[in-house]
């Protein structure tokens, strides 16, 4: 199988590359850090692949999402050209990585934790997502429907809080791991600590994506555990793994994002069951 993988050097991309390589696929990588701009590729290249996986995006954690909205908004152009390229080349099968940021922020407010279902996004009546990053992903999903109408079958994973041992420290999980390794006391947490996220290890994120492709699934699929973990809880888990109990220091002046973001993973579970618990993921990260 001939596969195009954009963003092959990113967190998701490099793990996908390893998994695809283990399957013996012929992989063409497009990675900005290697001098290959995915935007230029989609504008000018006419090669037809059996499968295209688009994992290239400008993001960088909460600070980037809130602090550089125009930079993150560049994803709109990147995703639009990806869809045009799929149609132009007649690529029959594709993956467009969306995000849990595409869900309406109105469904992620303080109060009871509400699991998010794929149907909570209505592309005919789009509601306010999370910042310009959410708008880019939501728009990308809308554009995918037009590419599908031209004959390309597109899987749209919506990962929740993906994490792993080699993730950039701009994201909460590796930042927490570093603080625990350094046995920082007090232990700093952005926000009031009560916000929840649904963590999924990169091995499960990649495994789910490939399982869904193998099952020929199309459309949006949540990737998560459906487990709501507050940032205070995450801090306690990583500090327990490090063998100490610090005071928690809450930075209410720092970017916090939405309050609750937890998936209903039922659609994914029809094809893939995650195996790496958050506690196991913390153990692996602490052992690196």
């Amino acid at each position: 199988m001939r596969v195009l993988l954009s963003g092959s050097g990113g967190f998701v991309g490099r793990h996908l590359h390893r998994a695809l390589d283990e399957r013996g696929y012929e992989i063409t990588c497009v990675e900005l850090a290697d001098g290959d701009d995915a935007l230029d590729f989609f504008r000018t290249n006419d090669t037809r692949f059996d499968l295209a996986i688009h994992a290239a995006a400008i993001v960088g954690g909460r600070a980037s999402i809130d602090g550089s909205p125009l930079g993150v908004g560049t994803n709109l152009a990147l995703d639009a050209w990806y869809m045009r390229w799929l149609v132009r080349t007649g690529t029959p099968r594709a993956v467009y990585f969306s995000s849990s940021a595409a869900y309406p922020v109105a469904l992620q407010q303080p109060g009871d934790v509400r699991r998010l279902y794929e149907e909570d996004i209505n592309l005919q009546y789009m509601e306010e997502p999370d910042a310009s990053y959410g708008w880019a992903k939501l728009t990308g999903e809308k554009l995918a429907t037009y590419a599908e109408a031209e004959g390309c079958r597109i899987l749209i994973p919506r990962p929740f809080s993906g994490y792993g041992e080699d993730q950039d420290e701009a994201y909460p999980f590796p930042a927490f791991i570093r603080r625990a390794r350094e046995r920082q006391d007090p232990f700093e947490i952005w926000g009031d600590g009560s916000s929840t996220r649904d963590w999924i290890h990169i091995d499960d994120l990649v495994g789910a994506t490939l399982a869904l492709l193998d099952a020929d699934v199309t459309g949006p699929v949540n990737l998560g555990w459906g487990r709501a973990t507050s940032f205070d809880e995450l801090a306690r888990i990583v500090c327990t793994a490090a063998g100490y109990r610090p005071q928690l220091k809450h930075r209410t002046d720092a970017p916090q994002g939405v309050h609750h973001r937890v998936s209903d993973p039922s659609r994914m579970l029809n094809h893939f069951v995650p195996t790496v618990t958050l506690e196991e993921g913390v153990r692996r990260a602490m052992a690196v």
Side-chain angles (χ1 to χ4, degrees):
M1 181 180 287
R2 300 183 66 228
V3 181
L4 175 83
L5 176 60
S6 71
S8 57
F11 177 53
V12 173
R14 62 179 175 266
H15 286 269
L16 269 171
H17 184 272
R18 187 180 305 122
L20 294 167
D21 187 59
E22 288 174 355
R23 290 186 169 204
Y25 294 166
E26 179 184 334
I27 310 164
T28 296
C29 296
V30 181
E31 169 55 46
L32 186 61
D34 296 332
D36 301 317
D37 191 325
L39 186 59
D40 292 338
F41 181 93
F42 295 139
R43 283 171 170 163
T44 61
N45 189 281
D46 291 322
T47 305
R48 186 179 188 274
F49 292 84
D50 301 308
L51 168 67
I53 302 179
H54 181 37
I58 295 174
V59 67
R62 195 74 236 174
S64 177
I65 290 173
D66 288 352
S68 183
L70 290 177
V72 172
T74 305
N75 291 323
L76 288 162
L78 180 60
D79 296 346
W81 278 102
Y82 173 61
M83 301 302 171
R84 294 184 67 177
W85 175 82
L86 291 175
V87 173
R88 188 174 74 245
T89 60
T91 297
R93 193 74 169 99
V95 176
Y96 171 67
F97 274 99
S98 184
S99 168
S100 55
Y103 280 101
V105 295
L107 302 179
Q108 304 171 69
Q109 299 303 310
D112 293 337
V113 177
R114 182 192 188 282
R115 285 188 170 191
L116 298 168
Y117 297 83
E118 287 86 355
E119 295 78 12
D120 285 329
I121 291 178
N122 184 341
L123 295 176
Q124 301 302 315
Y125 302 95
M126 294 188 287
E127 298 179 65
E128 184 79 25
D130 188 0
S132 62
Y133 182 70
W135 274 118
K137 292 303 185 182
L138 190 57
T139 303
E141 290 196 27
K142 182 73 172 181
L143 295 175
T145 65
Y146 303 140
E148 286 185 309
E150 297 292 332
C152 183
R153 295 175 57 76
I154 304 178
L155 169 67
I156 304 175
R158 290 179 186 157
F160 277 65
S161 293
Y163 72 96
E165 302 86 83
D166 60 339
Q167 190 175 29
D168 187 273
E169 216 176 274
Y171 294 87
F173 182 86
F176 275 36
I177 293 295
R178 177 182 59 80
R179 290 169 196 160
R181 279 205 193 106
E182 295 173 356
R183 301 177 71 86
Q184 292 185 10
D185 191 358
F187 189 102
E188 184 177 285
I189 298 172
W190 287 12
D192 65 10
S194 65
S195 297
T196 62
R197 294 294 182 268
D198 186 354
W199 301 93
I200 179 168
H201 191 272
I202 187 63
D203 288 356
D204 286 331
L205 194 159
V206 168
T209 300
L210 295 181
L212 291 163
L213 279 171
D214 291 343
D216 200 30
V217 175
T218 60
V221 182
N222 289 336
L223 305 187
W225 276 74
R227 171 185 174 182
T229 303
S230 72
F231 284 102
D232 277 357
E233 290 178 83
L234 178 61
R236 283 190 280 269
I237 292 170
V238 299
C239 292
T240 297
Y244 81 122
R245 296 182 62 181
Q247 176 186 351
L248 302 183
K249 175 185 176 182
H250 297 108
R251 282 273 313 279
T252 55
D253 60 321
Q256 180 172 339
V258 296
H259 205 82
H260 295 300
R261 179 169 288 166
V262 182
S263 74
D264 181 282
S266 299
R267 191 170 294 179
M268 177 194 74
L269 293 175
N270 288 329
H271 307 282
F272 180 84
V273 178
T275 61
V276 184
T277 64
L278 181 56
E279 287 78 9
E280 169 63 13
V282 167
R283 188 196 64 77
R284 292 186 188 184
M286 292 296 293
V288 173

